[in-house]
Amino acid sequence: MDRIEVFPTAAALYHSAAEHWVRLAKAAIRRAGAFHVALAGGNTPKGLYQLLANAPYVSQVDWSGVYIYFGDERYVPMDHPESNYRMARAALLDVVPIPSEQIFRIPTELANPEAAAANYAQALQSHLPGGSQLDLILLGVGADGHTASLFPHTSILSVRDHLVAAVYVEKLDAWRISMTYPAIEQARQILFLVSGADKASIVASLLAAPEGEGKTLPAQGLQASGEVNWFLDKAAAYEWETKK
Ligand code: 6PG
């Protein structure tokens, strides 16, 4: 069963998410000597990354034990304004002392998206515990119910035999590389971060569907093996709360 928490503001959501990250990182490093976490892209998680890079949280994490991955990436150069890696570097990775060899970005410089996906799947298999298990994956949701780059009506939704795949998103006229359902589902914990009134409608659709029935949106298609937490701010939860 997913655990849903609603926070009064986006700032409160980010502070709770930072505390959550600190707790999970401490537990993973204590348990296994490492914390393997996949970052979400887009705008929402930026506030969390910036908090983690500053007091009080920055000193609460043993960054030497943190291993960074990406749930998805746009097929653009790593210094492109649309790059999730570029966003994460500016907000967090260039600020905290994570050894560079512990940051696994999706290699969008490779000749084509499929090569980048195959290369990244290999990196996950080489570095993740058991070849596939993240301790935490951060996810956002789009207004169409996508998460990572699992967009509605795209080929990647049916990929079950690879951890990473390339996907052409027609409505964006863009290629993406994304972790697939199997990669996301194996995480010990999934944390959705959703903020803002523009997500109120999709949140209500995603969370209102009774267990098992009518789960047609990509973000509903996850058969997670671990914990699933939703951190919502009041604006994003508004329609769901009024419908409950
Ligand atoms: C991406 C993300 C994507 C994102 C949602 C929400 O690369 O854009 O992986 O799944 O989480 O589109 O984006 P916002 O946080 O910008 O609303």
Side-chain angles (χ1 to χ4, degrees), residues 10 17 21 27 34 93 117 131 134 188 191:
W21 171 297
L93 304 180
L134 289 157
R188 295 171 78 98
L191 176 57

Side-chain angles (χ1 to χ4, degrees), residues 42-60:
N43 297 310
T44 303
K46 219 180 291 180
L48 166 60
Y49 304 157
Q50 290 164 338
L51 271 187
L52 288 168
N54 289 284
Y57 305 108
V58 67
S59 61
Q60 296 174 15

Side-chain angles (χ1 to χ4, degrees), residues 40-45 71-74 84 139-142 146-149 151 176 193 198-199:
N43 297 310
T44 303
D72 73 328
E73 186 58 278
R74 294 83 182 274
N84 288 333
L139 292 173
V141 293
H146 79 262
T147 191
S149 285
F151 282 84
R176 297 277 188 102
L193 301 175
D198 61 326
K199 300 291 173 68

Side-chain angles (χ1 to χ4, degrees), residues 208-244:
E211 271 311 301
E213 294 165 44
K215 288 185 170 291
T216 55
L217 296 165
Q220 292 173 318
L222 287 164
Q223 306 296 323
S225 56
E227 264 185 72
V228 180
N229 290 307
W230 292 78
F231 281 13
L232 312 171
D233 65 8
K234 206 108 186 88
Y238 179 75
E239 278 188 38
W240 171 66
E241 288 192 308
T242 46
K243 273 183 179 174
K244 272 198 306 186

Side-chain angles (χ1 to χ4, degrees), residues 59-87:
S59 61
Q60 296 174 15
V61 179
D62 172 7
W63 296 101
S64 68
V66 177
Y67 292 72
I68 296 282
Y69 306 83
F70 289 80
D72 73 328
E73 186 58 278
R74 294 83 182 274
Y75 185 60
V76 295
M78 60 191 212
D79 58 356
H80 189 281
E82 284 289 303
S83 163
N84 288 333
Y85 173 69
R86 180 177 184 267
M87 177 274 285

Side-chain angles (χ1 to χ4, degrees), residues 183-195:
I184 297 170
E185 290 166 353
Q186 292 179 66
R188 295 171 78 98
Q189 183 171 136
I190 295 171
L191 176 57
F192 284 99
L193 301 175
V194 194
S195 167

